[in-house]
Amino acid sequence: MRQVPAANWAESFHYSFRDCVYPSSVEDVCDIVARSQTIKALGSRHSFNAIADGQVAMSLAEMPTKPVIERDGTQVSVGGHCTYGELALFLHDHRLAVHNLASLPHISIAGAIATATHGSGNLNGNLATAVSGLEFVAGDGSLVTVKRGDADFAGMVVHLGALGIVTRVTLDVQPEFQVAQCVYDGLDWDKLVENLDEITGAAYSVSVFTQWGDQAGSIWLKRAGAGDDWPTAIHGAVRAQVKRHPISGLDAQNATDQLGEYGRWSDRLPHFKMGFLPSSGEEIQSEYHVPKEYGAAAVEALLSVRNRFAHLVQAGEIRTVAADQLWLSPQYQRDTVSFHFTWVRDQDAVNAAVRHIEDVLAPLQALPHWGKVFTRSHIGASYERLADFARIRNGMDPERKFSNLWLEDVVFGSAGA
Ligand SMILES: Cc1cc2nc3c(=O)[nH]c(=O)nc-3n(C[C@H](O)[C@H](O)[C@H](O)COP(=O)(O)OP(=O)(O)OC[C@H]3O[C@@H](n4cnc5c(N)ncnc54)[C@H](O)[C@@H]3O)c2cc1C
């Protein structure tokens, strides 16, 4: 009897799956999809809401990932279920890199791009922006390939699991680079609000970690390539002399190396090391993206209601993500400042807290992370190209084999008809 996944990675969301299929080849995937009435691809199960829920799951875990360097070393193609951590090991052998990573390398590529997963950096697009080609198995079991430049490509990358099973992804790669990170403790809220642009622009990738307490918290700078000496202080925050975990009190051993020492891009861009527990494990996450020009206003808006949510925060993180052209990306034609919350694992309390956050961020054009917890319905209506995305879905999945309640309620609404 094959294992049927019961819950997401954090065990905060319980799936409704009654069966799970494990194809061993793309031909198997085509055959299974053609014969199925309903099927939902599961990635590494790192989402926090019902986006990946369904009746019958499909795990690609038994398929080979077969990474291949393409186009004179400027692209790599790989099975969609490959994790970024596994891909990084392959890229190291070829002295190549992807432009950025999320906080953890444990997530699958197909699942990450489905939800516009991102890292940080004023000039870094989310991880989906590195996609230059995709192979899907559509609802009739046929293979659909699409590449950058094709008419609907920009609508198919942030796919929300709605268009088919992603069997292969092609990503842009670049020569490998070295990254070093340093943490600066003791940042005050007024310094953050006054200098938000300067702080988020202070390195290749920047995160501000906060408990939403009396002080803002710490700045994490990740530099790509050599730089000047690290300053001893930034806007009053002082360079840490010992290694930190993003969640205060947890073992820094699980976090990537700090203290300014250079190492491989893949060993510093994420906060958490491959092979170690990322984050706390017992948690729920939410995240809201606001246009960059509203970043300081969003900090102030959140401070005005922090007494409603701060007691539930294990870690808050403020990052930036560059604008892109991907239709269902929260960064579609806008640079964002993104406010992430790692909550304690208490769903009712988190839902109540999140409502306060949504109320104060709504006037600032906030959009939630597709893979995390939020309470607003029909988010899809906020996306200018939703009708075009629905048209692509109608073509690839006319029988709604890949749909679920979450997609119809949160994304399509009346556009799904
Ligand atoms: C500890 C932790 C840290 C995180 N850090 C970050 C971060 O730094 N930045 C950020 O933006 N997000 C972050 N996330 C959120 C996470 O990146 C997203 O939820 C992402 O979508 C998870 O990918 P997954 O493979 O686990 O997808 P799943 O949760 O398994 O699935 C998500 C969606 O992708 C679809 N999908 C998965 N595989 C396929 C496939 N092969 N074909 C078609 N559809 C597929 C599913 O059907 C579903 O719709 C974090 C999550 C955790 C638990």
Side-chain angles (χ1 to χ4, degrees):
M1 180 73 179
R2 290 297 185 71
Q3 202 188 352
V4 180
N8 66 346
W9 167 84
E11 297 187 7
S12 62
F13 180 86
H14 291 266
Y15 299 124
S16 329
F17 296 122
R18 52 182 159 74
D19 198 3
C20 182
V21 289
Y22 291 84
S24 54
S25 65
V26 174
E27 293 71 32
D28 269 2
V29 177
C30 295
D31 188 46
I32 293 168
V33 169
R35 287 187 286 106
S36 297
Q37 290 187 329
T38 178
I39 193 100
K40 198 77 198 155
L42 263 186
S44 49
R45 298 180 298 111
H46 283 91
S47 295
F48 289 88
N49 58 35
I51 185 173
D53 202 14
Q55 296 298 306
V56 180
M58 176 180 277
S59 164
L60 306 185
E62 294 185 1
M63 285 174 45
T65 56
K66 288 192 201 153
V68 177
I69 303 293
E70 306 204 354
R71 291 198 168 231
D72 295 334
T74 59
Q75 294 180 347
V76 62
S77 69
V78 67
H81 57 296
C82 184
T83 65
Y84 282 95
E86 291 161 349
L87 178 65
L89 292 178
F90 174 79
L91 292 178
H92 291 155
D93 291 342
H94 298 269
R95 313 198 66 176
L96 293 170
V98 290
H99 78 293
N100 208 358
L101 290 169
S103 69
L104 75 176
H106 310 59
I107 48 176
S108 84
I109 300 171
I113 64 169
T115 62
T117 287
H118 60 94
S120 189
N122 283 356
L123 300 179
N124 292 324
N126 64 42
L127 304 191
T129 61
V131 175
S132 55
L134 285 166
E135 177 186 85
F136 288 92
V137 175
D140 62 359
S142 65
L143 272 185
V144 174
T145 57
V146 61
K147 61 181 188 316
R148 193 183 280 138
D150 291 348
D152 285 336
F153 174 78
M156 297 170 74
V157 183
V158 179
H159 57 87
L160 303 178
L163 304 181
I165 311 288
V166 176
T167 43
R168 208 153 177 87
V169 181
T170 306
L171 299 175
D172 295 335
V173 289
Q174 60 191 78
E176 67 180 356
F177 54 98
Q178 298 266 302
V179 175
Q181 64 179 332
C182 267
V183 175
Y184 289 80
D185 294 323
L187 179 68
D188 284 330
W189 284 117
D190 55 350
K191 295 279 193 241
L192 177 64
V193 169
E194 282 162 27
N195 304 289
L196 185 61
D197 280 353
E198 199 185 313
I199 289 172
T200 62
Y204 185 76
S205 168
V206 177
S207 296
V208 172
F209 277 99
T210 177
Q211 299 286 133
W212 291 97
D214 291 340
Q215 259 197 339
S218 56
I219 308 170
W220 290 48
L221 298 187
K222 297 179 197 274
R223 267 188 190 165
D228 302 332
D229 288 346
W230 295 88
T232 48
I234 300 175
H235 295 297
V238 178
R239 196 170 80 218
Q241 300 301 323
V242 292
K243 210 178 139 185
R244 301 272 186 248
H245 189 288
I247 301 179
S248 63
L250 294 193
D251 190 348
Q253 144 106 341
N254 295 9
T256 50
D257 284 341
Q258 300 154 30
L259 307 176
E261 184 200 330
Y262 277 89
R264 276 180 176 157
W265 57 278
S266 56
D267 294 339
R268 300 288 187 283
L269 288 176
H271 303 317
F272 305 110
K273 283 187 208 152
M274 194 73 182
F276 288 76
L277 176 74
S279 198
S280 80
E282 251 185 57
E283 65 194 70
I284 294 172
Q285 297 186 8
S286 302
E287 188 162 24
Y288 294 88
H289 306 279
V290 305
K292 192 141 176 271
E293 60 271 26
Y294 296 151
V299 173
E300 286 175 328
L302 289 166
L303 285 173
S304 74
V305 290
R306 71 176 150 163
N307 62 337
R308 306 292 191 148
F309 67 78
H311 57 294
L312 301 172
V313 172
Q314 297 194 58
E317 185 178 4
I318 303 170
R319 294 180 271 191
T320 50
V321 192
D324 60 50
Q325 297 297 331
L326 304 175
W327 300 352
L328 270 284
S329 161
Q331 284 79 37
Y332 178 66
Q333 299 187 342
R334 56 185 216 164
D335 294 327
T336 66
V337 177
S338 303
F339 294 86
H340 163 86
F341 303 85
T342 299
W343 305 111
V344 297
R345 202 174 57 192
D346 178 342
Q347 191 71 61
D348 291 342
V350 167
N351 287 346
V354 155
R355 281 191 196 98
H356 291 290
I357 289 174
E358 290 174 355
D359 285 348
V360 295
L361 293 187
L364 303 177
Q365 297 172 20
L367 288 171
H369 189 302
W370 288 116
K372 301 185 182 179
V373 164
F374 52 90
T375 66
R376 278 172 57 205
S377 62
H378 201 14
I379 299 300
S382 305
Y383 283 81
E384 196 181 315
R385 304 298 298 268
L386 177 66
D388 294 320
F389 184 66
R391 171 183 53 75
I392 298 174
R393 197 264 292 248
N394 283 341
M396 290 183 65
D397 186 23
E399 296 172 48
R400 305 288 188 262
K401 291 184 179 183
F402 307 115
S403 192
N404 60 17
L405 288 174
W406 184 92
L407 275 171
E408 300 311 325
D409 175 41
V410 171
V411 182
F412 291 109
S414 55

